[in-house]
Amino acid sequence: MTGHMTPEEFRRYGRQVVDWIADYQEKVESYPVLSQARPGDVLAGLPAHPPERGEGFEAVLADLDRVVLPGITHWQHPGFFAYFPANASGPAILGDLLSAGLGVQGMLWATSPACTELETRVLDWLAELLDLPARFRSGGAGGGVIQDSASGAALVAVLAALHRADGGASGRDGINRRHTLYISSQTHSSMEKAARVAGIGAGNVRVVDTDPGTLAMDPARLEAMLAADAAAGALPVLVCATVGTTSTTAVDPVAAIGEVCRRHGVWLHVDAAYAGVAAVCPELRWVNDGLDGHVDSYSTNPHKWLLTNFDCNAFWVADREPLVGALSILPEYLRNRATTSGEVIDYRDWQISLGRRFRALKLWSVIRWYGAEGLREHVRTGVRLAGGLAEEIAADPGFELLPHHPFGLVCFRPRWEGLPDVEADAATMRLMERLNASGDLYLTHTKVGGRVLLRMAIGAPATGDAHVAAAWERIRAEAAAEG
Ligand SMILES: *Cc1c(COP(=O)(O)O)cnc(C)c1O
């Protein structure tokens, strides 16, 4: 029998694991970016039954190489350009390891004061680094919290907005009149999911028109819909504006939308999951335009572009009252003096689940390791590489470029001269599949105005000029072969 791992054994295996990760970082480029595994391959490599007798940890490490790695898509590969980046970094990995090592559950201030107070401080730090309005800092009525994801933040925002809109009635009695929520066709799907989960219903999610050129939400259309819905007896709950949409990084006019929301007394949530962290750079602070107006909640993901391993969403509210009102329940077994004193934050009241990990450690490690300077440098590298690629694409007569690319995402397609749209789109998809099968790079696609575009999202810490140049060379060559 293998008993509990002793500190001595932990030291030995821990060094092996850290070495394994360092080796992985050194050779990540040698793997095919997109896993070549077929459905069931990984399953077939795993025993159907758990072991009766404990094994040495070497056995786990051996299977990691044999079974797990072939089924890994390498998000930290310098040729990973799919979706958005999910940055990992040394300090974030070590911060997460420390969190696991401490093994605390930070549901209440009292269950580990440091887990709460470090999180409060780090979210204030991040608000300062991004130059967010003072309302979002913990010193006043608002404050920040780490959520698992932007999707979790969206749900929490909807629940807080619901609470404010009907004074807690639906939380108590259930929703018994029509509530509405406003998005655009470019809003992330997590908002519709939040509406479903919150009981508002997907059918009451109203889709506001966007400008066909900029794909930004039209505030005049929003105002008209809000007025018409309210006149018809609905209770508008929340509007979601996006800064940096998932499809093309389009930017909604937050200031104008905020004015509409103010007039109608509706909660405005700003989803800046990918692009919000760009505000670490003064030259990109325009992403905050409008946040100093009527904005009730704001969310961005350090786990995308800001070097912090998943999961780490930063979520701020201008007023914590409706949030805590919506989510606080105090059963007898959680009663404690600190909570009843009202002097402390209990973050369980700011999220869906009760329990919570000590995620602030990894964000704290990242901010201290890189400093504001290092974070800016990372974002600037992504923006510079994307800008350079966009210039190459624009200069190539065989390709068409989506002109909007202020961050790390570039959208484009081959022109496929002479092909009807449907066939051209099919050719673009075939091109993407061939590129992704090559193992050298990984791209995804989107549709704008019904037409397929390739998305190349630059921002992995390992990606440099040579990787982007090689990817572009490859794309041109494969497109020429296809065309
Ligand atoms: C990626 C993304 C999300 C979802 O992020 P998760 O943290 O994975 O839930 C939401 N909104 C936008 C705009 C995104 O780009």
Side-chain angles (χ1 to χ4, degrees), residues 238-258:
L238 174 142
V239 174
C240 178
T242 308
V243 174
T245 59
T246 315
S247 171
T248 63
T249 67
V251 177
D252 287 334
V254 173
I257 292 171

mmCIF file with all atom_site columns, all heavy atoms in Angstrom, residues 238-258:
data_model
loop_
_atom_site.group_PDB
_atom_site.id
_atom_site.type_symbol
_atom_site.label_atom_id
_atom_site.label_alt_id
_atom_site.label_comp_id
_atom_site.label_asym_id
_atom_site.label_entity_id
_atom_site.label_seq_id
_atom_site.pdbx_PDB_ins_code
_atom_site.Cartn_x
_atom_site.Cartn_y
_atom_site.Cartn_z
_atom_site.occupancy
_atom_site.B_iso_or_equiv
_atom_site.pdbx_formal_charge
_atom_site.auth_seq_id
_atom_site.auth_comp_id
_atom_site.auth_asym_id
_atom_site.auth_atom_id
_atom_site.pdbx_PDB_model_num
ATOM 1   N N   . LEU A 1 238 ? -30.971 44.130 -18.066 1.00 0.00 ? 238 LEU A N   1
ATOM 2   C CA  . LEU A 1 238 ? -29.539 44.362 -18.279 1.00 0.00 ? 238 LEU A CA  1
ATOM 3   C C   . LEU A 1 238 ? -29.245 44.536 -19.759 1.00 0.00 ? 238 LEU A C   1
ATOM 4   O O   . LEU A 1 238 ? -29.873 43.904 -20.613 1.00 0.00 ? 238 LEU A O   1
ATOM 5   C CB  . LEU A 1 238 ? -28.741 43.178 -17.711 1.00 0.00 ? 238 LEU A CB  1
ATOM 6   C CG  . LEU A 1 238 ? -27.233 43.111 -17.936 1.00 0.00 ? 238 LEU A CG  1
ATOM 7   C CD1 . LEU A 1 238 ? -26.518 42.551 -16.699 1.00 0.00 ? 238 LEU A CD1 1
ATOM 8   C CD2 . LEU A 1 238 ? -26.868 42.257 -19.145 1.00 0.00 ? 238 LEU A CD2 1
ATOM 9   N N   . VAL A 1 239 ? -28.274 45.416 -20.034 1.00 0.00 ? 239 VAL A N   1
ATOM 10  C CA  . VAL A 1 239 ? -27.715 45.564 -21.374 1.00 0.00 ? 239 VAL A CA  1
ATOM 11  C C   . VAL A 1 239 ? -26.270 45.113 -21.296 1.00 0.00 ? 239 VAL A C   1
ATOM 12  O O   . VAL A 1 239 ? -25.557 45.461 -20.347 1.00 0.00 ? 239 VAL A O   1
ATOM 13  C CB  . VAL A 1 239 ? -27.780 47.035 -21.848 1.00 0.00 ? 239 VAL A CB  1
ATOM 14  C CG1 . VAL A 1 239 ? -27.065 47.211 -23.183 1.00 0.00 ? 239 VAL A CG1 1
ATOM 15  C CG2 . VAL A 1 239 ? -29.225 47.507 -21.936 1.00 0.00 ? 239 VAL A CG2 1
ATOM 16  N N   . CYS A 1 240 ? -25.831 44.322 -22.264 1.00 0.00 ? 240 CYS A N   1
ATOM 17  C CA  . CYS A 1 240 ? -24.418 43.937 -22.319 1.00 0.00 ? 240 CYS A CA  1
ATOM 18  C C   . CYS A 1 240 ? -23.744 44.629 -23.495 1.00 0.00 ? 240 CYS A C   1
ATOM 19  O O   . CYS A 1 240 ? -24.154 44.441 -24.646 1.00 0.00 ? 240 CYS A O   1
ATOM 20  C CB  . CYS A 1 240 ? -24.266 42.424 -22.462 1.00 0.00 ? 240 CYS A CB  1
ATOM 21  S SG  . CYS A 1 240 ? -22.544 41.912 -22.601 1.00 0.00 ? 240 CYS A SG  1
ATOM 22  N N   . ALA A 1 241 ? -22.749 45.449 -23.196 1.00 0.00 ? 241 ALA A N   1
ATOM 23  C CA  . ALA A 1 241 ? -21.911 46.040 -24.239 1.00 0.00 ? 241 ALA A CA  1
ATOM 24  C C   . ALA A 1 241 ? -20.589 45.283 -24.249 1.00 0.00 ? 241 ALA A C   1
ATOM 25  O O   . ALA A 1 241 ? -20.128 44.820 -23.211 1.00 0.00 ? 241 ALA A O   1
ATOM 26  C CB  . ALA A 1 241 ? -21.664 47.516 -23.950 1.00 0.00 ? 241 ALA A CB  1
ATOM 27  N N   . THR A 1 242 ? -20.004 45.140 -25.426 1.00 0.00 ? 242 THR A N   1
ATOM 28  C CA  . THR A 1 242 ? -18.749 44.392 -25.541 1.00 0.00 ? 242 THR A CA  1
ATOM 29  C C   . THR A 1 242 ? -17.632 45.293 -26.048 1.00 0.00 ? 242 THR A C   1
ATOM 30  O O   . THR A 1 242 ? -17.827 46.048 -27.002 1.00 0.00 ? 242 THR A O   1
ATOM 31  C CB  . THR A 1 242 ? -18.921 43.197 -26.496 1.00 0.00 ? 242 THR A CB  1
ATOM 32  O OG1 . THR A 1 242 ? -20.066 42.433 -26.087 1.00 0.00 ? 242 THR A OG1 1
ATOM 33  C CG2 . THR A 1 242 ? -17.697 42.303 -26.486 1.00 0.00 ? 242 THR A CG2 1
ATOM 34  N N   . VAL A 1 243 ? -16.492 45.195 -25.393 1.00 0.00 ? 243 VAL A N   1
ATOM 35  C CA  . VAL A 1 243 ? -15.291 45.882 -25.882 1.00 0.00 ? 243 VAL A CA  1
ATOM 36  C C   . VAL A 1 243 ? -14.346 44.784 -26.360 1.00 0.00 ? 243 VAL A C   1
ATOM 37  O O   . VAL A 1 243 ? -13.731 44.088 -25.549 1.00 0.00 ? 243 VAL A O   1
ATOM 38  C CB  . VAL A 1 243 ? -14.653 46.737 -24.763 1.00 0.00 ? 243 VAL A CB  1
ATOM 39  C CG1 . VAL A 1 243 ? -13.331 47.323 -25.241 1.00 0.00 ? 243 VAL A CG1 1
ATOM 40  C CG2 . VAL A 1 243 ? -15.603 47.846 -24.325 1.00 0.00 ? 243 VAL A CG2 1
ATOM 41  N N   . GLY A 1 244 ? -14.290 44.595 -27.676 1.00 0.00 ? 244 GLY A N   1
ATOM 42  C CA  . GLY A 1 244 ? -13.477 43.514 -28.232 1.00 0.00 ? 244 GLY A CA  1
ATOM 43  C C   . GLY A 1 244 ? -14.288 42.243 -28.368 1.00 0.00 ? 244 GLY A C   1
ATOM 44  O O   . GLY A 1 244 ? -14.123 41.309 -27.575 1.00 0.00 ? 244 GLY A O   1
ATOM 45  N N   . THR A 1 245 ? -15.163 42.182 -29.363 1.00 0.00 ? 245 THR A N   1
ATOM 46  C CA  . THR A 1 245 ? -16.021 41.001 -29.505 1.00 0.00 ? 245 THR A CA  1
ATOM 47  C C   . THR A 1 245 ? -15.199 39.769 -29.879 1.00 0.00 ? 245 THR A C   1
ATOM 48  O O   . THR A 1 245 ? -14.098 39.880 -30.428 1.00 0.00 ? 245 THR A O   1
ATOM 49  C CB  . THR A 1 245 ? -17.087 41.214 -30.602 1.00 0.00 ? 245 THR A CB  1
ATOM 50  O OG1 . THR A 1 245 ? -16.415 41.489 -31.832 1.00 0.00 ? 245 THR A OG1 1
ATOM 51  C CG2 . THR A 1 245 ? -18.016 42.369 -30.253 1.00 0.00 ? 245 THR A CG2 1
ATOM 52  N N   . THR A 1 246 ? -15.755 38.615 -29.592 1.00 0.00 ? 246 THR A N   1
ATOM 53  C CA  . THR A 1 246 ? -15.030 37.368 -29.797 1.00 0.00 ? 246 THR A CA  1
ATOM 54  C C   . THR A 1 246 ? -14.777 37.115 -31.280 1.00 0.00 ? 246 THR A C   1
ATOM 55  O O   . THR A 1 246 ? -13.710 36.641 -31.666 1.00 0.00 ? 246 THR A O   1
ATOM 56  C CB  . THR A 1 246 ? -15.839 36.206 -29.197 1.00 0.00 ? 246 THR A CB  1
ATOM 57  O OG1 . THR A 1 246 ? -16.299 36.613 -27.902 1.00 0.00 ? 246 THR A OG1 1
ATOM 58  C CG2 . THR A 1 246 ? -14.998 34.963 -29.055 1.00 0.00 ? 246 THR A CG2 1
ATOM 59  N N   . SER A 1 247 ? -15.744 37.460 -32.101 1.00 0.00 ? 247 SER A N   1
ATOM 60  C CA  . SER A 1 247 ? -15.614 37.186 -33.532 1.00 0.00 ? 247 SER A CA  1
ATOM 61  C C   . SER A 1 247 ? -14.516 38.035 -34.181 1.00 0.00 ? 247 SER A C   1
ATOM 62  O O   . SER A 1 247 ? -13.632 37.503 -34.848 1.00 0.00 ? 247 SER A O   1
ATOM 63  C CB  . SER A 1 247 ? -16.972 37.426 -34.197 1.00 0.00 ? 247 SER A CB  1
ATOM 64  O OG  . SER A 1 247 ? -16.867 37.389 -35.589 1.00 0.00 ? 247 SER A OG  1
ATOM 65  N N   . THR A 1 248 ? -14.577 39.367 -33.966 1.00 0.00 ? 248 THR A N   1
ATOM 66  C CA  . THR A 1 248 ? -13.662 40.259 -34.714 1.00 0.00 ? 248 THR A CA  1
ATOM 67  C C   . THR A 1 248 ? -13.052 41.385 -33.879 1.00 0.00 ? 248 THR A C   1
ATOM 68  O O   . THR A 1 248 ? -12.474 42.318 -34.429 1.00 0.00 ? 248 THR A O   1
ATOM 69  C CB  . THR A 1 248 ? -14.421 40.942 -35.879 1.00 0.00 ? 248 THR A CB  1
ATOM 70  O OG1 . THR A 1 248 ? -15.469 41.758 -35.315 1.00 0.00 ? 248 THR A OG1 1
ATOM 71  C CG2 . THR A 1 248 ? -15.021 39.936 -36.844 1.00 0.00 ? 248 THR A CG2 1
ATOM 72  N N   . THR A 1 249 ? -13.220 41.356 -32.552 1.00 0.00 ? 249 THR A N   1
ATOM 73  C CA  . THR A 1 249 ? -12.789 42.431 -31.644 1.00 0.00 ? 249 THR A CA  1
ATOM 74  C C   . THR A 1 249 ? -13.455 43.781 -31.945 1.00 0.00 ? 249 THR A C   1
ATOM 75  O O   . THR A 1 249 ? -12.853 44.836 -31.747 1.00 0.00 ? 249 THR A O   1
ATOM 76  C CB  . THR A 1 249 ? -11.244 42.615 -31.564 1.00 0.00 ? 249 THR A CB  1
ATOM 77  O OG1 . THR A 1 249 ? -10.717 43.087 -32.811 1.00 0.00 ? 249 THR A OG1 1
ATOM 78  C CG2 . THR A 1 249 ? -10.545 41.348 -31.138 1.00 0.00 ? 249 THR A CG2 1
ATOM 79  N N   . ALA A 1 250 ? -14.702 43.749 -32.393 1.00 0.00 ? 250 ALA A N   1
ATOM 80  C CA  . ALA A 1 250 ? -15.481 44.982 -32.557 1.00 0.00 ? 250 ALA A CA  1
ATOM 81  C C   . ALA A 1 250 ? -15.728 45.609 -31.184 1.00 0.00 ? 250 ALA A C   1
ATOM 82  O O   . ALA A 1 250 ? -15.703 44.923 -30.162 1.00 0.00 ? 250 ALA A O   1
ATOM 83  C CB  . ALA A 1 250 ? -16.816 44.674 -33.233 1.00 0.00 ? 250 ALA A CB  1
ATOM 84  N N   . VAL A 1 251 ? -15.947 46.927 -31.191 1.00 0.00 ? 251 VAL A N   1
ATOM 85  C CA  . VAL A 1 251 ? -16.074 47.665 -29.934 1.00 0.00 ? 251 VAL A CA  1
ATOM 86  C C   . VAL A 1 251 ? -17.398 48.421 -29.921 1.00 0.00 ? 251 VAL A C   1
ATOM 87  O O   . VAL A 1 251 ? -17.647 49.261 -30.794 1.00 0.00 ? 251 VAL A O   1
ATOM 88  C CB  . VAL A 1 251 ? -14.891 48.645 -29.771 1.00 0.00 ? 251 VAL A CB  1
ATOM 89  C CG1 . VAL A 1 251 ? -15.042 49.474 -28.497 1.00 0.00 ? 251 VAL A CG1 1
ATOM 90  C CG2 . VAL A 1 251 ? -13.564 47.884 -29.752 1.00 0.00 ? 251 VAL A CG2 1
ATOM 91  N N   . ASP A 1 252 ? -18.249 48.108 -28.947 1.00 0.00 ? 252 ASP A N   1
ATOM 92  C CA  . ASP A 1 252 ? -19.520 48.822 -28.819 1.00 0.00 ? 252 ASP A CA  1
ATOM 93  C C   . ASP A 1 252 ? -19.281 50.219 -28.226 1.00 0.00 ? 252 ASP A C   1
ATOM 94  O O   . ASP A 1 252 ? -18.355 50.395 -27.433 1.00 0.00 ? 252 ASP A O   1
ATOM 95  C CB  . ASP A 1 252 ? -20.472 48.043 -27.897 1.00 0.00 ? 252 ASP A CB  1
ATOM 96  C CG  . ASP A 1 252 ? -21.035 46.787 -28.549 1.00 0.00 ? 252 ASP A CG  1
ATOM 97  O OD1 . ASP A 1 252 ? -21.112 46.750 -29.796 1.00 0.00 ? 252 ASP A OD1 1
ATOM 98  O OD2 . ASP A 1 252 ? -21.406 45.843 -27.825 1.00 0.00 ? 252 ASP A OD2 1
ATOM 99  N N   . PRO A 1 253 ? -20.139 51.205 -28.592 1.00 0.00 ? 253 PRO A N   1
ATOM 100 C CA  . PRO A 1 253 ? -19.989 52.561 -28.046 1.00 0.00 ? 253 PRO A CA  1
ATOM 101 C C   . PRO A 1 253 ? -20.502 52.628 -26.606 1.00 0.00 ? 253 PRO A C   1
ATOM 102 O O   . PRO A 1 253 ? -21.663 52.939 -26.364 1.00 0.00 ? 253 PRO A O   1
ATOM 103 C CB  . PRO A 1 253 ? -20.836 53.414 -28.994 1.00 0.00 ? 253 PRO A CB  1
ATOM 104 C CG  . PRO A 1 253 ? -21.862 52.482 -29.528 1.00 0.00 ? 253 PRO A CG  1
ATOM 105 C CD  . PRO A 1 253 ? -21.254 51.103 -29.546 1.00 0.00 ? 253 PRO A CD  1
ATOM 106 N N   . VAL A 1 254 ? -19.619 52.332 -25.660 1.00 0.00 ? 254 VAL A N   1
ATOM 107 C CA  . VAL A 1 254 ? -20.023 52.174 -24.256 1.00 0.00 ? 254 VAL A CA  1
ATOM 108 C C   . VAL A 1 254 ? -20.614 53.465 -23.693 1.00 0.00 ? 254 VAL A C   1
ATOM 109 O O   . VAL A 1 254 ? -21.624 53.428 -22.973 1.00 0.00 ? 254 VAL A O   1
ATOM 110 C CB  . VAL A 1 254 ? -18.824 51.688 -23.407 1.00 0.00 ? 254 VAL A CB  1
ATOM 111 C CG1 . VAL A 1 254 ? -19.166 51.677 -21.926 1.00 0.00 ? 254 VAL A CG1 1
ATOM 112 C CG2 . VAL A 1 254 ? -18.389 50.301 -23.870 1.00 0.00 ? 254 VAL A CG2 1
ATOM 113 N N   . ALA A 1 255 ? -20.014 54.616 -24.014 1.00 0.00 ? 255 ALA A N   1
ATOM 114 C CA  . ALA A 1 255 ? -20.506 55.879 -23.440 1.00 0.00 ? 255 ALA A CA  1
ATOM 115 C C   . ALA A 1 255 ? -21.951 56.135 -23.870 1.00 0.00 ? 255 ALA A C   1
ATOM 116 O O   . ALA A 1 255 ? -22.815 56.440 -23.038 1.00 0.00 ? 255 ALA A O   1
ATOM 117 C CB  . ALA A 1 255 ? -19.605 57.036 -23.855 1.00 0.00 ? 255 ALA A CB  1
ATOM 118 N N   . ALA A 1 256 ? -22.225 55.979 -25.155 1.00 0.00 ? 256 ALA A N   1
ATOM 119 C CA  . ALA A 1 256 ? -23.581 56.243 -25.658 1.00 0.00 ? 256 ALA A CA  1
ATOM 120 C C   . ALA A 1 256 ? -24.569 55.201 -25.127 1.00 0.00 ? 256 ALA A C   1
ATOM 121 O O   . ALA A 1 256 ? -25.700 55.536 -24.749 1.00 0.00 ? 256 ALA A O   1
ATOM 122 C CB  . ALA A 1 256 ? -23.571 56.233 -27.192 1.00 0.00 ? 256 ALA A CB  1
ATOM 123 N N   . ILE A 1 257 ? -24.147 53.957 -25.054 1.00 0.00 ? 257 ILE A N   1
ATOM 124 C CA  . ILE A 1 257 ? -25.019 52.904 -24.510 1.00 0.00 ? 257 ILE A CA  1
ATOM 125 C C   . ILE A 1 257 ? -25.291 53.176 -23.028 1.00 0.00 ? 257 ILE A C   1
ATOM 126 O O   . ILE A 1 257 ? -26.415 53.013 -22.542 1.00 0.00 ? 257 ILE A O   1
ATOM 127 C CB  . ILE A 1 257 ? -24.373 51.511 -24.728 1.00 0.00 ? 257 ILE A CB  1
ATOM 128 C CG1 . ILE A 1 257 ? -24.345 51.177 -26.218 1.00 0.00 ? 257 ILE A CG1 1
ATOM 129 C CG2 . ILE A 1 257 ? -25.116 50.427 -23.952 1.00 0.00 ? 257 ILE A CG2 1
ATOM 130 C CD1 . ILE A 1 257 ? -23.538 49.938 -26.575 1.00 0.00 ? 257 ILE A CD1 1
ATOM 131 N N   . GLY A 1 258 ? -24.253 53.651 -22.320 1.00 0.00 ? 258 GLY A N   1
ATOM 132 C CA  . GLY A 1 258 ? -24.404 53.983 -20.901 1.00 0.00 ? 258 GLY A CA  1
ATOM 133 C C   . GLY A 1 258 ? -25.439 55.078 -20.694 1.00 0.00 ? 258 GLY A C   1
ATOM 134 O O   . GLY A 1 258 ? -26.247 55.019 -19.758 1.00 0.00 ? 258 GLY A O   1
#
